[in-house]
Amino acid sequence: MKLTDNVLRSFRVAKVFRENSDKINCFDFSPNGETVISSSDDDSIVLYDCQEGKPKRTLYSKKYGVDLIRYTHAANTVVYSSNKIDDTIRYLSLHDNKYIRYFPGHTKRVVALSMSPVDDTFISGSLDKTIRLWDLRSPNCQGLMHLQGKPVCSFDPEGLIFAAGVNSEMVKLYDLRSFDKGPFTTFKMPYDRTCEWTGLKFSNDGKLILISTNGGFIRLIDAFKGAVLHTFGGYNNSKAVTLEASFTPDSQFIMIGSEDGKIHVWNGESGMKVAVLDGKHTGPITCLQFNPKFMTFASACSNMVRKVFEVSP
């Protein structure tokens, strides 16, 4: 089934999960789309089976807390940042609930974490104004960049370059093999003092970059030229919440949740809004991702509820 404007309009809530006692702060689909894992402010990690539509197991990170959870390439391992005690990144085996490795170095909260799509490297950005490059096989930081402000960062789908958003006004592109030489290109964006950037994602075809903000708009830019293609707005975010925006897997559509629990969807080429889906969320939708392989997507709101949408017949 191909995603079209009409197909997107026909999505309805298929499942509702209330496993958590506090806000779900992040979730991530496995690369094969068969499972999704969530992290929550109640210190729990919940693994869901996407095909059966039910929770499989719950693990806890009571001591360190858990945020920004990401699957690695091995089916049963994740990395995540901590929101208690320290700012070390942890590498966990879900199979036996044991830590494989710790990645210390950041001195303030980690606000961005991106796994390479092709190998064992990952990048992290922190409020300590650094971006660090890591390899899962070593606890030592493989590279360090000092920035002027809070960073957002992400790998491109080929795993060859990564983008760093700095000071909510510049996107810098780095070649992974020579990133110590500095960015190979920098795009300056229109600066908006009313909000700050909260996320940055590449489309699966590598041609587009989506910049999320904690204001009432998100930006779509050309990944090669840096030109702003569209600015999407018209959704509620008066309290400056961090709302996750995502591409559909075919790179054609862009979606974001809103403060009033609705999900807004635009056509990336035309820039037109094609759907507003009401998932009956009672709080701002802070997490939103499309399944990479199946025709479903998941959303989570600040009131600890996770919902799965699928096409209604």
Side-chain angles (χ1 to χ4, degrees), residues 119-277:
D119 61 23
D120 281 341
T121 50
F122 67 97
I123 48 175
S124 57
S126 159
L127 294 179
D128 64 16
K129 300 182 183 174
T130 65
I131 288 177
R132 289 174 181 261
L133 177 71
W134 309 88
D135 187 306
L136 285 175
R137 295 161 295 196
S138 162
N140 304 321
C141 173
Q142 307 293 301
L144 174 64
M145 283 158 36
H146 291 275
L147 307 164
Q148 299 320 166
K150 174 187 167 181
V152 287
C153 53
S154 182
F155 276 100
D156 83 314
E158 306 284 302
L160 296 172
I161 64 170
F162 68 86
V166 188
N167 276 358
S168 300
E169 58 178 340
M170 274 179 292
V171 176
K172 296 173 182 274
L173 298 185
Y174 294 84
D175 187 312
L176 207 60
R177 292 154 300 194
S178 58
F179 88 98
D180 49 337
K181 295 189 173 70
F184 64 83
T185 189
T186 299
F187 307 136
K188 196 145 176 26
M189 296 287 124
Y191 180 63
D192 188 319
R193 64 172 52 128
T194 64
C195 63
E196 61 176 15
W197 295 359
T198 53
L200 189 144
K201 288 183 184 178
F202 279 89
S203 57
N204 274 345
D205 61 10
K207 295 176 182 172
L208 306 166
I209 296 174
L210 181 60
I211 299 168
S212 320
T213 74
N214 62 359
F217 68 91
I218 51 180
R219 278 211 177 98
L220 187 66
I221 69 168
D222 183 303
F224 301 107
K225 303 192 186 92
V228 176
L229 302 173
H230 298 291
T231 300
F232 303 117
Y235 58 92
N236 292 358
N237 190 14
S238 63
K239 297 189 178 75
V241 181
T242 297
L243 306 171
E244 182 177 20
S246 290
F247 287 99
T248 51
D250 61 6
S251 309
Q252 303 297 318
F253 298 93
I254 288 93
M255 46 205 315
I256 190 168
S258 65
E259 200 172 67
D260 59 9
K262 293 187 170 68
I263 292 164
H264 297 250
V265 188
W266 294 268
N267 183 308
E269 197 168 355
S270 70
M272 300 297 288
K273 189 174 283 189
V274 296
V276 178
L277 304 170

Side-chain angles (χ1 to χ4, degrees), residues 3 33 36 58 63 80 86 100 112 145 153 157 202 226 247 256 282:
L3 276 178
V36 63
T58 302
K63 186 174 175 186
Y80 64 83
D86 62 16
I100 302 167
M145 283 158 36
C153 53
F202 279 89
F247 287 99
I256 190 168
T282 55

Side-chain angles (χ1 to χ4, degrees), residues 39-40 103 151 163 179 192 241 281:
S39 55
S40 164
F103 303 97
F179 88 98
D192 188 319
V241 181
H281 277 289

Side-chain angles (χ1 to χ4, degrees), residues 281-293:
H281 277 289
T282 55
I285 297 176
T286 45
C287 305
L288 179 68
Q289 278 177 40
F290 216 97
N291 188 308
K293 294 286 188 268

